[in-house]
Amino acid sequence: MRLVVTTEGPHLMLRRTHTCGELRESHVGQTVRLNGWVNAYRGHGTGLTFIDMRDRFGLTQVVFDGADLAKEIMEVADHLRSEDVIAVQGTVRIRVGGPNPKLDTGKIEIVVTKFELLNKTDPLPFIPDDTGTGGKLANEDIRGKYRYIDLRRPTMQKILGIRHKVYQSTRRYFDENGFLEIETPILYKSTPEGAREFLVPSRNVPGSWYALPQSPQLFKQILMVAGCDRYMQICRCFRDEDPRADRQAEFTQIDLEMAFVRREHVMDMMEGFVRRLWKDITGYDVPPIQKMPYREAMERFGIDRPDTRYGLEITDISEIAAKTDVAFFKDVLAKGQDRPKFNSGRGVVKAIRVPGGAEKLTRKLTDGYNEFVRGFGAGGCAVTKVNAAGAFETGIAKFLEPVKAELFAALGLQPGDTILFVSDLYPIATKSLGELRQKVARDIGIVPKPGSEGGPWNFLIVVDFPMFEKDKESGRWIAMHHPFTAPRDDQAKAFVDADVNDDVTIESIVSAGYDIVLNGQEIAGGSVRIHDRAVQSKVFQLLGLTPEQAKEKFSFLLEALSYGAPPHAGIAFGLDRLVMNFVGTSNIRDVIAFPKTQTGQDLMTSAPSKATEDQLKDVHVKSTFVPQN
RNA sequence: GGGGCGGUAGCUCAAUUGGUUAGAGUACUGGACUGUCGAUCCAGUGGUUGCGGGUUCGAGUCCCGUCCGCCUCGCCA
C-alpha cells in the first residue's frame, strides 16, 4: 500500500470512480475513489480523523485511521480545513460509529488507503454552507464578490441543476414540435420602441453604434419570412432599466415564432410547453389553462395579470353610487358618462368587499389604504363596515343607508365585512383597487404559498388586450405590446377604417396578443404579428411615425414583410422567472449564475470598468463624464 | 431621478443618554483528544467602526457630504 500526499510535486490525480452522493450499502467492499472539497472535518489528532467530502452530488464521510496510515499522512489529514480540495481512494464499509440519517450516504463510510491533497485553500471570506454563520448567509455583496464560493452551496448547485433541466426540457419539446433553434445577433440595430438600450460603439463605422437587443423580435419575424417556419431560441436580452428583485438588465428569454398560424395555434403550443415543462421539472400535471379577456381581468381584479388564487374581487357599483349623496361619488360620476363603458375618460365607483374585514382590518390598516391608493392617483379610499346587526358603520355609512339593499345584493355583504371604495376615472379606480386588492390579501394573510412550496400552480392566459394606450407623459398613443402586434381578426377592418382622432374607437380596438400568468406573475407574452401593409401603416400613423420615419427605423422589416411574408405569430417566456418559480425564490439573482447588482455592477469582475484612452480612441468615443471631488 | 433599510473582527451580530482599553459566537492558528457527524476541551491571533469632513474635553453613537448593498416608486413586457 502506497500513500501519497502531493502537497508538492506531481499530482497523482486519483480520478474519481464515483461521486460524493452515490455510494450506498450495495457498494460495501468496493475500492473507490472520490474527488471533492472538504465540507467538514472532525479530528481526533493523528489517531483518527473524519472528513465529510463534498461535490455537487452530495456528501460522503471518509475516515483516516492512524492504525492503517503513516504518521505524516495523519498529520496532513489532521490539518485539513473547509474547502481544501482532495482526492481519496479507499474501501467502502458500513459505518463503524453508526449511521447518520441526515446524509443520503449516511450508512457507509470510506476508509482511506490513498490520499492526495490537490489544493490547500486560503482562509475563506465565508463558508459556502446553506445554514451560514449564525443561521444567516453572508451579505449579498460578499457573496457576489466571491460568487464562485457561494455557488458551491448545495442550494445554489441545485438551482443550477434545475435551470439546466429547464433548458433541456425546452429544447426537447420544441425540437419534437418541429422548431429550428437559430441564433440571432447580439450586436444589433438600435430601434426606438420600448426600453432604454445598451449601446456599443463601432470602430469600423465611426460615429455609429450597435445596440444590444431588448429581444430578438424583428429577427424572429424575418426568420418567418425566410421560410424557417418554426423558430426557437434561448436568448439573452438586454434592457438598460433599473433592476428589481425579479428583474435584471440582462436576462434570458425562451423566444419562439411560428408561421401559418392563428393565435389559437400559438396558445395551444405554449400551453403544451408549459404542461411539458412542469411535468419534467416538478412532476405536476398542468390542467387545461383558462383564458380570460383583458377586460374581465381588469373588471374583476384591476390588473392584467390577476392572481386568481384568492377572491376579494372588485365590483363596479357606479349605478348604485349615483343614487347616494356622497359628494366625491357624484363628482366622479359626472365625468364622461356619455363615453362607453371602460373608456379611460369615464368616471366610476368601484368597491371591494373584505369578508370579516371588520375584525381583520384595523383602523391603522384602513387609514393606510387611503394613502396607498393616493399613490396611484386616486383621491382616497372610503371605508365602511357592516356591523354584527347588519348595519353600515363608520365612514360614509349614513350616506349608504338609502341604497343598503342594493349594495348588499351587489356585493354579497355579510355582517362583519368591510367595504373599500374608490371613485375616480376608470383607469385610476381600476388600478388603485387592483393594487389594493393584493395588499389587503397580504395583510389578512390569504395569499397561498406558491407551487414550489406546496401551494397551487395557478395558470391563466389573458387575451384581447387593447392595441393601444395613451402615454401618461406625452398623451400620445403607444402600442401596448409592440408596434407589430396585429389586431384581433375581427377587429382589423374597424381598425383600418377608424379615424386616427377618434380616441374612443382607437381605445376599443383589441389586439391578437396573449400573456401567460402564473400566480399573478406574467411569465410569457406574445402576439400575432401584422403581415398586412395597410394595418402596419395605420399603426405607424397612430404612433406618430411618418412613412419616412417608419422606413428609416424599420425598413428592413417592412421590406421583408412585403416580399412574401407568411402570417406568423410568436411568444417569449421569461426563463429566469420560470426557474424562480421552480426553486421557490423571489430573488432573480438566485437563479442567475453571475448576476448583477441594483446598479448593474458585477461585484466579482468589477464590471463595468474604465476604458483606456486608446480604447476610446479606437471606437471614436470621448467621455463627457466628470468625476466629482 | 425620488423614498426606505443597512454598512462595527474573515463571517453573523452586540455596544445604555456622546464617556474607561469596541465585545460575543463562529472562522482561523497552536495544543489535547481513536468513532465523530454543527465533534469536544484549553489557549491565542484578529478592528482605518465603508470613506471624507464637521460639532465636542471626548464620536461606532450627533451633523453634512460621498461610496457600496438590499427593498421600492418612476422606468421596464
Side-chain angles (χ1 to χ4, degrees):
Chain A
M1 181 168 56
R2 181 163 160 256
L3 295 161
V4 183
V5 181
T6 51
T7 44
E8 293 171 52
H11 284 187
L12 279 183
M13 194 59 227
L14 297 166
R15 194 154 172 265
R16 71 179 174 208
T17 56
H18 296 77
T19 71
C20 295
E22 71 176 298
L23 293 173
R24 298 290 185 276
E25 287 171 286
S26 60
H27 296 90
V28 165
Q30 292 184 23
T31 297
V32 299
R33 294 193 295 267
L34 298 183
N35 300 150
W37 286 261
V38 173
N39 194 69
Y41 61 93
R42 294 178 291 278
H44 296 269
T46 53
L48 184 69
T49 291
F50 299 95
I51 298 290
D52 286 342
M53 242 180 117
R54 186 197 72 239
D55 61 17
R56 75 178 169 93
F57 304 96
L59 288 174
T60 301
Q61 172 166 287
V62 302
V63 187
F64 292 79
D65 192 333
D68 304 327
L69 298 173
K71 183 122 191 292
E72 53 270 29
I73 303 296
M74 294 307 293
E75 293 275 356
V76 175
D78 191 37
H79 286 86
L80 287 174
R81 292 295 179 267
S82 291
E83 303 308 307
D84 285 339
V85 187
I86 58 175
V88 303
Q89 177 173 307
T91 311
V92 182
R93 74 177 179 201
I94 297 292
R95 282 187 180 221
V96 172
N100 181 349
K102 291 180 194 164
L103 299 182
D104 292 338
T105 61
K107 288 185 176 164
I108 56 93
E109 64 188 5
I110 294 176
V111 199
V112 175
T113 52
K114 276 191 185 180
F115 165 69
E116 190 172 15
L117 178 56
L118 297 171
N119 205 350
K120 184 85 187 159
T121 182
D122 282 343
L124 292 140
F126 60 95
I127 302 294
D129 177 339
D130 282 332
T131 316
T133 304
K136 278 184 158 183
L137 297 177
N139 284 326
E140 281 210 45
D141 47 352
I142 302 285
R143 287 191 284 136
K145 182 174 177 185
Y146 302 99
R147 185 66 169 173
Y148 43 87
I149 297 175
D150 199 35
L151 287 175
R152 287 184 199 157
R153 281 164 47 213
T155 295
M156 299 308 278
Q157 293 286 324
K158 185 181 150 213
I159 290 172
L160 291 174
I162 289 172
R163 190 164 173 130
H164 165 82
K165 279 174 78 176
V166 170
Y167 297 145
Q168 304 314 317
S169 176
T170 300
R171 291 204 161 99
R172 269 198 306 276
Y173 176 82
F174 288 112
D175 179 52
E176 286 166 17
N177 282 283
F179 285 73
L180 284 180
E181 181 170 353
I182 302 171
E183 291 182 81
T184 54
I186 295 294
L187 295 176
Y188 176 51
K189 180 186 168 66
S190 175
T191 55
E193 287 299 317
R196 188 183 297 119
E197 297 169 315
F198 288 95
L199 289 173
V200 181
S202 163
R203 176 177 58 84
N204 280 327
V205 187
S208 293
W209 303 73
Y210 300 97
L212 305 184
Q214 299 173 38
S215 78
Q217 180 61 36
L218 302 186
F219 281 107
K220 69 175 175 176
Q221 290 192 239
I222 285 173
L223 285 170
M224 294 302 99
V225 183
C228 293
D229 195 71
R230 288 181 177 189
Y231 142 91
M232 72 82 60
Q233 183 183 192
I234 297 176
C235 62
R236 200 61 62 82
C237 302
F238 305 89
R239 292 175 189 161
D240 190 5
E241 302 290 350
D242 288 351
R244 287 287 183 278
D246 62 350
R247 217 168 73 191
Q248 287 256 303
E250 182 176 351
F251 64 101
T252 305
Q253 282 190 345
I254 299 167
D255 195 46
L256 57 123
E257 195 80 5
M258 304 168 73
F260 307 109
V261 289
R262 295 160 61 92
R263 73 171 183 179
E264 285 69 26
H265 302 121
V266 180
M267 289 194 288
D268 285 350
M269 184 63 72
M270 67 194 204
E271 186 170 340
F273 170 56
V274 164
R275 190 160 291 119
R276 166 69 72 85
L277 192 58
W278 256 259
K279 186 69 180 172
D280 281 357
I281 307 298
T282 71
Y284 176 70
D285 290 304
V286 175
I289 301 178
Q290 301 296 308
K291 294 184 179 66
M292 183 183 290
Y294 169 87
R295 195 50 70 192
E296 181 184 340
M298 295 304 282
E299 277 296 287
R300 292 173 57 194
F301 304 102
I303 193 164
D304 61 359
R305 45 181 170 84
D307 189 337
T308 55
R309 291 176 297 170
Y310 54 87
L312 295 182
E313 292 194 23
I314 299 166
T315 307
D316 189 318
I317 56 155
S318 299
E319 286 181 26
I320 302 170
K323 298 174 190 169
T324 69
D325 284 324
V326 179
F328 46 88
F329 286 177
K330 293 201 144 181
D331 290 348
V332 156
L333 291 172
K335 294 175 187 168
Q337 295 307 300
D338 53 328
R339 295 179 179 235
K341 218 178 165 186
F342 312 134
N343 184 274
S344 57
R346 186 174 162 127
V348 294
V349 180
K350 288 169 173 279
I352 293 177
R353 167 191 169 239
V354 184
E359 201 170 309
K360 292 174 189 161
L361 297 177
T362 60
R363 177 64 190 267
K364 192 179 169 191
L365 279 173
T366 55
D367 283 353
Y369 296 161
N370 200 45
E371 278 308 304
F372 183 77
V373 298
R374 282 177 199 220
F376 301 98
C381 174
V383 181
T384 291
K385 294 174 184 175
V386 181
N387 67 19
F392 290 131
E393 201 175 87
T394 74
I396 55 173
K398 67 174 175 179
F399 297 101
L400 298 175
E401 276 307 317
V403 294
K404 185 178 167 188
E406 287 173 83
L407 262 187
F408 264 66
L411 295 171
L413 293 176
Q414 300 283 335
D417 291 351
T418 292
I419 316 159
L420 307 170
F421 302 90
V422 172
S423 55
D424 216 301
L425 292 179
Y426 180 81
I428 294 173
T430 303
K431 173 152 201 210
S432 309
L433 280 175
E435 297 292 333
L436 183 59
R437 170 178 176 266
Q438 298 176 71
K439 182 170 172 56
V440 172
R442 287 192 298 269
D443 287 344
I444 64 177
I446 60 169
V447 181
K449 287 179 179 178
S452 50
E453 292 173 25
W457 296 108
N458 183 239
F459 293 92
L460 189 67
I461 296 178
V462 178
V463 295
D464 297 345
F465 289 85
M467 286 274 284
F468 304 99
E469 60 187 341
K470 280 276 172 89
D471 182 64
K472 277 170 234 132
E473 282 169 29
S474 65
R476 303 207 318 219
W477 289 115
I478 52 173
M480 198 156 177
H481 189 58
H482 58 60
F484 311 105
T485 299
R488 203 174 64 192
D489 290 352
D490 60 348
Q491 303 269 302
K493 186 170 186 313
F495 173 60
V496 173
D497 291 346
D499 182 335
V500 293
N501 295 312
D502 178 1
D503 280 8
V504 169
T505 301
I506 298 297
E507 191 178 295
S508 73
I509 301 292
V510 170
S511 81
Y514 30 78
D515 281 359
I516 299 190
V517 176
L518 167 60
N519 295 350
Q521 181 188 41
E522 182 193 331
I523 58 167
S527 64
V528 177
R529 325 300 185 187
I530 298 169
H531 67 284
D532 178 307
R533 262 164 284 178
V535 175
Q536 188 67 69
S537 310
K538 186 85 178 191
V539 171
F540 286 148
Q541 189 188 352
L542 262 173
L543 298 179
L545 286 175
T546 64
E548 292 72 32
Q549 288 171 321
K551 195 177 168 192
E552 186 203 325
K553 285 166 179 165
F554 304 113
S555 65
F556 60 103
L557 177 69
L558 297 177
E559 274 194 324
L561 291 175
S562 70
Y563 292 131
H568 58 288
I571 190 166
F573 286 80
L575 184 138
D576 307 288
R577 287 192 181 167
L578 293 176
V579 179
M580 285 168 69
N581 274 287
F582 291 134
V583 307
T585 178
S586 55
N587 181 349
I588 194 170
R589 293 180 299 279
D590 286 345
V591 301
I592 297 175
F594 299 104
K596 293 187 173 59
T597 68
Q598 289 270 314
T599 52
Q601 300 186 64
D602 176 344
L603 297 174
M604 190 180 74
T605 65
S606 300
S609 55
K610 299 271 189 297
T612 66
E613 282 301 315
D614 283 349
Q615 284 177 305
L616 291 178
K617 208 169 168 184
D618 269 353
V619 293
H620 320 284
V621 169
K622 186 177 278 181
S623 175
T624 61
F625 175 71
V626 183
Q628 296 186 334
N629 306 336

